[in-house]
Amino acid sequence: MKKLLLVLGIFLLCTNPLFAADCAWVGCSEPYDLSNGASRFMSNITGSNFLGEKVAESILKKEIRKTVTGKLRVNIASYSVKDLKKGIFKSIVIKGKNINIDGVNFTSLNIATLCDFNYISLDNPEKPVFKEDLPLSFSVVMTEDDINKTMLSAGYAKVIDDLNMLGSSIGIFKITSSQIKIRDNKFYYILKIAIPFVRNTQNIVLGSDLRVSRGQIDLANTKLINNNLLIDLKQIDKVINYLNPLDFSLNILENKHAQLAVQNIKIQENKIYASGLLVVPKD
């Protein structure tokens, strides 16, 4: 059972994002390979299933805390202790407050399985096999402070460094700092840039709408708020989406197997709410 929880800890909250894609998920599978009804009945009536769930929740929380800080609550529902040890379970729900995952910050983060039958075979403990797709719903809340802290992380700094390297090779501006502001439920991206042959750094304030495009958060309809600079907004729009701190934040939930698709995004009470689907495909 501990091996199962280690696997789930890796796949539910992974810190190795590689790509973003629309999720392809057909639906839930009918239960199979379950222990017999009598065994499940006895496991529940004797309370051993309840105790097994509590032990599993404690193990999973411990594994997640190896890469995540913040307040966590984990709930696991299983068919029986025997099934749980085999890698079969009903559901897992993870709820977090003031979460930090490898420098990425969320005011809240909720992840939950979507099917009432989930199966990760542990026949070979060194190579667990996802017998069925593992679909999960996720929802996050991000504040201005969360996003600005994330933008100070090493991962996001590398995104800016890579863009600056490209810019220096063709003689355009260099980004010296960046931050976001959320005012009156509007999203603003602020860049401080150094321009060749210009003595002082310049501030660029951009306003963008938030929308979902092909499963990702898109900063759309970008507008220049301070109009004392002549800038090609089409090019700026591309730059801002390359630097998009919202997609950067959510991509922390992905890994080389999982696929993430944002389905909803909105700004309310000056907080960003995003939700969607995360699927680990079967092997």
Side-chain angles (χ1 to χ4, degrees):
M1 183 169 66
K2 187 171 182 178
K3 183 67 179 179
L4 167 65
L5 276 304
L6 173 61
V7 172
L8 289 172
I10 292 170
F11 279 91
L12 291 180
L13 290 172
C14 178
T15 57
N16 261 325
L18 290 183
F19 62 91
D22 291 333
C23 291
W25 173 49
V26 176
C28 298
S29 299
E30 291 295 321
Y32 62 94
D33 283 356
L34 290 171
S35 58
N36 61 56
S39 176
R40 296 200 303 275
F41 175 77
M42 290 304 297
S43 182
N44 281 286
I45 202 170
T46 61
S48 61
N49 191 37
F50 174 80
L51 292 175
E53 290 170 349
K54 295 306 170 187
V55 170
E57 289 167 3
S58 177
I59 293 172
L60 180 53
K61 185 183 289 188
K62 184 178 179 181
E63 292 299 332
I64 293 173
R65 285 201 177 281
K66 290 179 179 179
T67 54
V68 177
T69 61
K71 185 178 179 181
L72 285 169
R73 190 172 72 190
V74 176
N75 293 106
I76 295 174
S78 64
Y79 290 93
S80 70
V81 172
K82 185 177 179 180
D83 292 314
L84 189 55
K85 287 181 178 178
K86 191 162 56 174
I88 296 174
F89 55 96
K90 289 181 180 179
S91 66
I92 289 179
V93 177
I94 299 172
K95 295 185 177 182
K97 297 289 186 183
N98 300 318
I99 295 295
N100 180 296
I101 311 173
D102 199 26
V104 175
N105 297 271
F106 301 101
T107 291
S108 72
L109 167 63
N110 297 333
I111 297 177
T113 51
L114 290 173
C115 297
D116 58 10
F117 174 78
N118 304 278
Y119 193 177
I120 304 173
S121 174
L122 304 175
D123 290 341
N124 180 356
E126 299 303 317
K127 238 182 142 180
V129 175
F130 283 73
K131 301 285 283 186
E132 303 295 338
D133 290 346
L134 182 66
L136 306 136
S137 64
F138 74 87
S139 63
V140 299
V141 178
M142 291 177 280
T143 64
E144 174 186 304
D145 190 48
D146 291 330
I147 299 167
N148 283 324
K149 285 180 180 177
T150 296
M151 291 168 71
L152 294 174
S153 69
Y156 191 78
K158 186 179 185 306
V159 173
I160 290 182
D161 288 344
D162 289 346
L163 183 62
N164 281 338
M165 286 181 63
L166 176 63
S168 64
S169 67
I170 55 178
I172 62 172
F173 61 80
K174 176 181 178 181
I175 299 170
T176 61
S177 69
S178 64
Q179 64 173 314
I180 70 103
K181 288 189 180 296
I182 302 174
R183 295 289 185 271
D184 299 321
N185 292 328
K186 301 293 184 182
F187 183 87
Y188 299 97
Y189 196 101
I190 303 167
L191 291 172
K192 185 168 284 189
I193 63 172
I195 302 174
F197 311 114
V198 176
R199 178 177 296 181
N200 298 320
T201 57
Q202 304 291 313
N203 286 326
I204 298 178
V205 182
L206 301 156
S208 292
D209 297 331
L210 304 184
R211 70 180 184 187
V212 175
S213 176
R214 298 189 63 188
Q216 294 182 296
I217 299 172
D218 188 30
L219 303 181
N221 302 319
T222 302
K223 299 177 180 65
L224 187 63
I225 304 303
N226 55 335
N227 57 8
N228 58 327
L229 294 173
L230 294 176
I231 297 176
D232 184 346
L233 282 181
K234 288 184 179 179
Q235 294 302 317
I236 280 291
D237 200 59
K238 292 178 183 177
V239 169
I240 293 305
N241 271 292
Y242 178 81
L243 297 175
N244 189 338
L246 304 179
D247 260 346
F248 177 85
S249 295
L250 291 184
N251 284 349
I252 202 74
L253 301 178
E254 293 187 296
N255 59 45
K256 65 181 179 180
H257 297 296
Q259 296 177 329
L260 179 146
V262 180
Q263 295 173 318
N264 300 288
I265 185 152
K266 66 179 180 180
I267 303 179
Q268 188 174 315
E269 297 178 344
N270 288 329
K271 297 177 183 178
I272 294 176
Y273 293 79
S275 61
L277 184 66
L278 179 67
V279 177
V280 180
K282 67 181 181 180
D283 293 309

